[in-house]
Amino acid sequence: MKKHIPNLITGLNAASGAMAVFMALYGQIGWAACFMIAGMVFDFFDGMVARLLHVKSEMGKELDSLADVITFGVAPALLAHMLIRDLLLPEGTGSIASLTAYEQVILFIPLLIPVFSAFRLAKFNLDTRQSVSFIGLPVPAHALFWVGLVFARVKAPLLYQTFFGNIWVLALCVLILSILLISELPMFSLKISGFSWFANKVVYLYFLTLLVVALCFGWAVLPFVIPFYILYCAVKALCSNR
C-alpha cells in the first residue's frame, strides 16, 4: 500500500495543474496561479515521501514528469497567454480576428512553453549530471515566474505595468525562459546541504537579496524572484569557469 502513496501525491500535482487550467479557462487567473502553487507543493513532497518510504520507482519518475507537463507546462502557458491577451484585448473588447498578424503570433507564442517544458523534462530524466544541481531552468522555477507576474499584477500594478505591461516584453520573456529550459546553464538547487556558508553562500546571497528587496519594495519582489535566481546562476557559472 505504501508504494502508492508517492504516486497519489503526484496525482494531486496533476489534478492541481488541471484545475489551474480550468480556472484560467474561466478567466480566474488568480485562482489558476494558486492551484499551480499547490501543484508545486505536491511536486516537492512526492519525491520526499518516496525517499522516506524507500519506494522510488521508474513508474513514479515517469508519472512525475507527466504531471509536471500539466502543472508546469500547460498551466503557465495559459497564464502567459492570458496576460498577453489582456493587453491586446483589454476587458474582452474586440476579437482575435481584429488583431494584426504579428499580434496574433505574439498572442499564441506561449505555445512554446509546454513544448520546451516537455523537452526539458525528458532531458532531465536522461541526464545523470542533474542529481544534485540542475542543467537548465527547472520547470517549477519557470512556472513560478508566471505565477509571480499574476500576483504582481494585483499586488504591485504600477511595477507590473512599468516592467511587464507590454506584449513585446512578455513575448521576450516566453522566448528567453523557454530557451533557458533546455540550455546548458548550470543552475544551483535551492536545497541547503548543511549550514556551512562556504557550501551554501550563493543560495544564502540569493535569499538575502530577495529578503532585502521584499523589505524595501514589498510585493514588487514577486516578478523578480526567478530573474534574480537566473542572474545568480549565471554569475556563479561565470566565476566557476575562471
Side-chain angles (χ1 to χ4, degrees):
M1 177 64 185
K2 69 177 184 179
K3 69 179 181 180
H4 297 298
I5 296 176
N7 291 341
L8 174 62
I9 298 174
T10 304
L12 292 174
N13 173 15
S16 297
M19 196 64 183
V21 171
F22 292 163
M23 289 294 101
L25 291 175
Y26 281 103
Q28 301 297 319
I29 193 171
W31 277 108
C34 290
F35 277 107
M36 286 173 63
I37 292 175
M40 292 176 193
V41 174
F42 291 128
D43 183 57
F44 175 80
F45 280 107
D46 61 1
M48 177 187 292
V49 171
R51 289 189 293 272
L52 289 174
L53 298 178
H54 304 289
V55 290
K56 292 177 69 175
S57 67
E58 287 301 312
M59 177 182 172
K61 181 179 177 181
E62 298 304 322
L63 184 62
D64 183 67
S65 293
L66 291 172
D68 286 353
V69 168
I70 302 171
T71 308
F72 310 131
V74 178
L78 266 172
L79 294 191
H81 171 76
M82 294 187 74
L83 289 174
I84 295 172
R85 185 204 64 180
D86 288 347
L87 291 174
L88 289 171
L89 302 169
E91 299 180 0
T93 57
S95 65
I96 294 177
S98 66
L99 301 177
T100 63
Y102 80 83
E103 287 175 334
Q104 291 180 9
V105 169
I106 290 178
L107 180 62
F108 290 102
I109 203 169
L111 287 171
L112 293 174
I113 294 175
V115 175
F116 278 80
S117 296
F119 272 100
R120 157 71 195 176
L121 290 162
K123 180 182 177 183
F124 178 80
N125 286 345
L126 298 174
D127 195 339
T128 57
R129 299 172 297 168
Q130 302 191 56
S131 57
V132 178
S133 58
F134 303 107
I135 305 295
L137 184 66
V139 289
H142 172 253
L144 189 59
F145 172 78
W146 297 104
V147 169
L149 285 193
V150 168
F151 287 132
R153 190 173 70 160
V154 176
K155 299 294 185 179
L158 181 60
L159 177 135
Y160 173 81
Q161 189 62 35
T162 300
F163 287 95
F164 300 99
N166 182 286
I167 59 172
W168 293 102
V169 171
L170 293 177
L172 191 61
C173 288
V174 171
L175 286 171
I176 292 175
L177 293 176
S178 295
I179 292 170
L180 283 173
L181 285 169
I182 59 169
S183 71
E184 288 294 305
L185 176 65
M187 309 197 84
F188 57 83
S189 171
L190 295 178
K191 296 177 182 177
I192 296 175
S193 53
F195 296 98
S196 164
W197 164 260
F198 181 79
N200 302 289
K201 60 183 178 182
V202 178
V203 179
Y204 285 146
L205 287 171
Y206 168 67
F207 281 118
L208 182 61
T209 301
L210 293 183
L211 179 61
V212 171
V213 174
L215 290 173
C216 294
F217 302 103
W219 291 102
V221 71
L222 290 174
F224 302 104
V225 170
I226 298 307
F228 278 138
Y229 172 63
I230 295 169
L231 176 63
Y232 271 94
C233 289
V235 170
K236 183 182 180 184
L238 288 173
C239 292
S240 300
N241 291 332
R242 287 184 177 179

